[in-house]
Amino acid sequence: MTAEPTQGAPWRIYRGTGEPHDDIRRLPPPPPWRSFQGGPLIEPVEDDDAEAAARLDVIARSYRPEEATIELVNAALYLRRPLLVTGKPGVGKSSLAHSMARELGLGPVLHWPITSRSTLADGLYQYDAIGRLQHANLRKILSDRPGGQPAAEAAQDDDAADIGRYIRLGPLGTALLPGALPRVLLIDELDKSDIDLPNDLLNIFENGEFEITELSRLPVGPATKVLTASGERRAEVRRGKVRCAAFPVVVITSNGEREFPGAFLRRCIRLDVQPPDERRLAEIVELQLGPEALAASGAIIGRFLERRLKHNVATDQLLNAIYLATSRQAGDQGGGLNPGLEEALLRPLGGAER
């Protein structure tokens, strides 16, 4: 079903309604300094994991952004810039990426969860040199048998074609493949990264390309097919260069645990997400659990809002409490929760928790 354009804001590509539409195709050309010419274009990607897609679809449909969020998302889409989303744990930063992918019809979200050990190479691609060496040794053993392929010919075949089997693009590398439509890339919790990673991302964000050195060393020949982060799908890479045609929709989340360099910040559109107010909480509860659950949860929502004034508690904690309170198995005869259980479910979060 195609949603109607938002009245009074015809420039909006993303509307935050949760309803899919194809307005991404009417996005105007990028600014001259954000135009990329990668190719040849690849086909759109469908989600291979139907069960996982269904779960994420529920998250995307129930996400309701504020007007300021919608405006900044559209600014990022028009300018082809990454969106840096900061806010307390549990306010829906990651859900925004899934909402954008679902509404704009851009396929499954490419997810890159960041840890203190993450490097740029993890996001771009991984080369399995050990696996290739093992395969080469096996070929040599087989070539030594009577009637086997000569070892020199086997090695040449491996260099020319089979090396692609040992290269898998990461989420960032897959997002940069040249498609007519962009992919949505979620770089989750970048503030947990090593201090160098934000700076390492600068050239990628500016140039929209990277090099696979193992392929660029090969003699000029046909394109090499490499594995992607999208299941077992393969993509052609020519002369070791991956260059986007449409800059990916990049959503970077941060819990605010560290500051980022100024050079990194000026390449991003910055969005600070505030916790949902009472009206938006009611919308979320109704979308996730239904109108009956909403009607029975006024007291819990009120206590949750009071607690949130002093402590860091997340919306998904509230949803857990309401779900249990409105289920016959967990709720008491009055339709509520045991005070001790509610206290445990709404326990304040630590600064680094989600």
Side-chain angles (χ1 to χ4, degrees):
M1 179 178 179
T2 301
E4 294 298 323
T6 304
Q7 293 184 357
W11 80 288
R12 289 183 177 177
I13 303 299
Y14 172 74
R15 306 167 194 153
T17 62
E19 293 296 332
H21 56 79
D22 60 359
D23 278 4
I24 189 68
R25 298 181 183 278
R26 68 177 179 85
L27 187 67
W33 56 90
R34 299 297 295 162
S35 180
F36 305 96
Q37 306 297 325
L41 300 184
I42 62 174
E43 294 296 321
V45 175
E46 300 294 334
D47 202 333
D48 294 328
D49 190 340
E51 183 178 346
R55 290 196 301 270
L56 295 175
D57 192 59
V58 172
I59 297 174
R61 283 190 289 108
S62 61
Y63 181 78
R64 287 296 180 270
E66 294 181 339
E67 286 295 304
T69 297
I70 297 173
E71 292 288 289
L72 286 172
V73 166
N74 280 283
L77 289 173
Y78 274 75
L79 295 173
R80 275 67 166 185
R81 287 291 184 184
L83 188 68
L84 176 60
V85 187
T86 58
K88 293 181 178 180
V91 296
K93 301 186 295 294
S94 300
S95 299
L96 174 59
H98 294 287
S99 172
M100 295 169 68
R102 180 182 190 274
E103 181 176 319
L104 301 177
L106 299 179
V109 172
L110 293 163
H111 185 204
W112 184 16
I114 301 299
T115 70
S116 60
R117 300 178 300 277
S118 298
T119 65
L120 182 64
D122 297 329
L124 291 177
Y125 74 95
Q126 292 293 315
Y127 171 54
D128 184 7
I130 295 177
R132 188 182 179 202
L133 178 60
Q134 291 173 338
H135 191 210
N137 288 336
L138 178 60
R139 281 191 168 187
K140 184 177 186 306
I141 292 172
L142 295 176
S143 68
D144 290 338
R145 294 179 178 178
Q149 183 183 20
E153 293 182 13
Q156 184 178 10
D157 290 344
D158 193 47
D159 283 339
D162 292 344
I163 186 174
R165 295 187 297 173
Y166 308 102
I167 295 174
R168 181 182 291 275
L169 301 181
L172 175 56
T174 301
L176 291 170
L177 288 170
L181 295 178
R183 294 292 300 275
V184 177
L185 170 66
L186 172 60
I187 304 178
D188 212 4
E189 298 189 338
L190 185 62
D191 51 331
K192 290 184 176 179
S193 73
D194 178 87
I195 192 171
D196 293 325
L197 183 56
N199 284 324
D200 291 341
L201 288 167
L202 293 181
N203 285 336
I204 300 295
F205 289 163
E206 283 303 288
N207 300 323
E209 66 178 26
F210 68 98
E211 182 180 58
I212 301 176
T213 55
E214 291 78 9
L215 298 184
S216 61
R217 295 169 183 162
L218 296 177
V220 176
T224 303
K225 290 188 175 182
V226 301
L227 296 169
T228 71
S230 302
E232 295 303 315
R233 295 177 182 273
R234 304 183 76 178
E236 289 188 347
V237 176
R238 299 179 184 277
R239 300 184 181 180
K241 284 281 189 180
V242 176
R243 178 181 298 144
C244 68
F247 189 76
V249 178
V250 182
V251 178
I252 305 169
T253 72
S254 168
N255 290 331
E257 295 181 6
R258 57 176 282 197
E259 295 292 329
F260 295 114
F264 176 82
L265 293 176
R266 72 180 178 84
R267 288 168 169 83
C268 300
I269 303 296
R270 286 179 276 175
L271 167 63
D272 185 29
V273 177
Q274 298 300 317
D277 57 20
E278 184 173 3
R279 179 186 61 82
R280 289 178 60 222
L281 279 176
E283 289 181 1
I284 293 170
V285 171
E286 184 172 14
L287 285 166
Q288 290 276 25
L289 301 175
E292 293 183 359
L294 174 62
S297 61
I300 296 180
I301 293 176
R303 291 191 291 271
F304 172 81
L305 290 170
E306 290 177 3
R307 182 179 295 256
R308 201 175 68 182
L309 292 174
K310 300 179 180 179
H311 305 287
N312 182 18
V313 287
T315 303
D316 54 355
Q317 292 176 274
L318 174 64
L319 292 173
N320 290 337
I322 293 175
Y323 176 79
L324 288 180
T326 54
S327 67
R328 294 181 179 179
Q329 291 80 8
D332 61 24
Q333 292 182 353
L337 280 181
N338 176 289
L341 179 56
E342 181 178 317
E343 176 72 21
L345 291 172
L346 299 182
R347 181 172 298 169
L349 299 173
E353 297 182 37
R354 283 181 64 84

